[in-house]
Amino acid sequence: MKTFAIKPIDRSIEDEIINKIDNLTKPKGSLGRLEELALRICLIQHTSTPELKNPHNVLFAGDHGILDEGVSVSPKEVTWQQLSHFSKGGAGINFLCNQHGFRLVLVDAGVDYDIPAGHGIIDMKVRRGTRNFLHGPAMTLEEFDQCVERGAQVVREIHSEGCNVISFGEMGSGNTSPSAMWMYCFTGIDLKRCIGAGAGLDNAGIRHKYEVLSQAAANYSGDDIPESKIAWFGGLEMAMALGGMLQAAELGMLIIVDGFIMTSVILAASQLYPAVMEYAVFGHQGDESGHKLMLEAMNVKAILHLDLRLGEGSGAVCAYPILESAVRMINHMDSFQSVNVTKYF
């Protein structure tokens, strides 16, 4: 597998940053999460005057063999249809990226369809969808490695264009199933609590999904190492996002994590490189059952809780203005000393 040189955050200027935040013209701690986020961004960028530059949302798309087992109400063709829709500019993630100044990058990681050229979709296809992990590994370790490298390549190119803040989205009918499996494998939370409605399953559908995934877990015969579990149960678009996150961390970029699926991706990435978590903030707590539990298991707190379950990077992009406010706070608020205001706390 491709290796990454992800350095733990250098905290040598942490006291300097905290002192700057504490001496802004406000009661200590009164800007709450903005203060926490400002500190995180400053530490990632190793400066007390941080910048957010050229934000990108990278959306990877891929299909899933487990869909053959009826674990989603969303048919497979929706993956390529929505990817095409994104390229035309009229989907949910499009208006959010336009609103908040993000460039949307679309990547075919493994869609089971021949996407025509000329639509602005980057062809990184590893294969036409994963295999059905009920019966064996969804992808080989070699295919997983290809995904990681290709996801990393996309991020390197974006970084070279001056981007230092990035979010990741996904499109793939049925991808809450591999996400639930990664959550189960890497948190130890009971599988039943990892499974939700996805795109809209009813109670009977959720029971069936649990039965299928429970049997898939019982059928696992791979090694007891993270790479094997990631490849066995994962999605091509998820593995590509994993490579993108690891590359972003190596490059010192700020990663905004989206909902249930992307949270499972950084959870899996952290099994390989724990330091990736130091470069991440979590955009929102989604409505998918299990997301709150996964965030709690990772000991992280989301910025927003808007009951979203769209995916695509939507919650991460929605959270971006909060990050901008944190940066504006530390860069543009006066200090008590600079305006001769007596500290009143």
Side-chain angles (χ1 to χ4, degrees):
M1 178 184 166
K2 175 179 171 56
T3 58
F4 296 88
I6 301 175
K7 299 176 181 177
I9 292 294
D10 181 351
R11 296 184 174 272
S12 60
I13 63 169
E14 185 169 11
D15 289 344
E16 173 192 334
I17 298 164
I18 292 172
N19 184 63
K20 181 177 180 180
I21 293 171
D22 287 349
N23 282 284
L24 299 175
T25 50
K26 58 176 179 58
K28 182 178 178 180
S30 61
L31 281 174
R33 294 294 306 281
L34 294 184
E35 299 187 23
E36 296 174 22
L37 292 167
L39 175 60
R40 169 59 65 93
I41 296 166
C42 287
L43 288 173
I44 289 171
Q45 297 185 2
H46 198 67
T47 179
S48 61
T49 55
E51 295 180 90
L52 300 177
K53 298 185 292 187
N54 197 14
H56 282 58
N57 182 63
V58 186
L59 193 155
F60 297 102
D63 281 307
H64 297 263
I66 195 65
L67 206 64
D68 294 344
E69 304 302 324
V71 294
S72 175
V73 297
S74 178
K76 184 165 65 173
E77 62 267 23
V78 168
T79 303
W80 72 259
Q81 290 170 351
Q82 274 292 79
L83 186 59
S84 176
H85 186 202
F86 300 145
S87 73
K88 295 179 175 70
I93 192 58
N94 296 104
F95 86 79
L96 289 168
C97 284
N98 291 338
Q99 179 182 0
H100 299 303
F102 275 68
R103 181 186 166 204
L104 176 62
V105 178
L106 304 174
V107 182
D108 175 4
V111 179
D112 189 11
Y113 187 81
D114 292 322
I115 305 291
H119 292 274
I121 299 167
I122 300 171
D123 182 8
M124 291 280 187
K125 194 191 300 283
V126 170
R127 55 174 284 120
R128 294 175 66 111
T130 55
R131 301 166 187 87
N132 185 343
F133 64 69
L134 179 62
H135 306 299
M139 66 187 103
T140 65
L141 288 173
E142 292 76 17
E143 289 163 348
F144 169 57
D145 193 28
Q146 280 185 305
C147 287
V148 169
E149 171 52 47
R150 292 180 187 185
Q153 179 185 336
V154 171
V155 171
R156 287 195 299 272
E157 291 174 2
I158 289 169
H159 180 261
S160 72
E161 298 170 1
C163 171
N164 73 352
V165 54
I166 191 166
S167 58
F168 296 92
E170 38 61 40
M171 183 63 220
S173 296
N175 58 13
T176 59
S177 289
S179 300
M181 294 304 297
W182 282 2
M183 176 182 171
Y184 166 70
C185 288
F186 300 127
T187 67
I189 294 171
D190 184 80
L191 180 59
K192 189 171 288 186
R193 303 182 74 197
C194 301
I195 293 170
L201 289 170
D202 59 16
N203 288 337
I206 294 171
R207 284 195 299 272
H208 172 70
K209 185 176 178 180
Y210 169 70
E211 291 166 1
V212 169
L213 298 191
S214 181
Q215 187 58 55
N219 291 348
Y220 178 71
S221 59
D223 296 329
D224 191 27
I225 59 173
E227 293 93 326
S228 294
K229 293 175 182 179
I230 291 168
W232 190 289
F233 296 115
L236 298 161
E237 82 282 24
M238 296 164 62
M240 216 166 275
L242 183 151
M245 289 179 180
L246 293 177
Q247 185 64 79
E250 180 182 82
L251 293 169
M253 301 170 74
L254 173 65
I255 303 165
I256 315 173
V257 182
D258 191 42
F260 180 65
I261 293 157
M262 287 299 107
T263 301
S264 76
V265 169
I266 200 165
L267 170 65
S270 71
Q271 306 304 301
L272 306 174
Y273 292 88
V276 70
M277 292 290 291
E278 297 186 48
Y279 294 85
V281 295
F282 290 77
H284 80 110
Q285 179 185 309
D287 197 37
E288 177 70 11
S289 175
H291 193 199
K292 179 176 184 287
L293 295 175
M294 183 159 43
L295 292 169
E296 289 174 349
M298 298 166 73
N299 195 31
V300 295
K301 186 166 55 173
I303 298 170
L304 303 174
H305 185 186
L306 301 177
D307 296 332
L308 305 179
R309 53 184 178 89
L310 177 63
E312 304 173 10
S314 54
V317 176
C318 273
Y320 183 69
I322 307 299
L323 300 175
E324 286 190 304
S325 294
V327 167
R328 288 175 182 272
M329 176 202 74
I330 195 167
N331 286 336
H332 298 301
M333 275 189 77
D334 291 323
S335 67
F336 286 106
Q337 298 93 326
S338 67
V339 293
N340 296 318
V341 172
T342 301
K343 275 191 176 182
Y344 54 96
F345 62 90

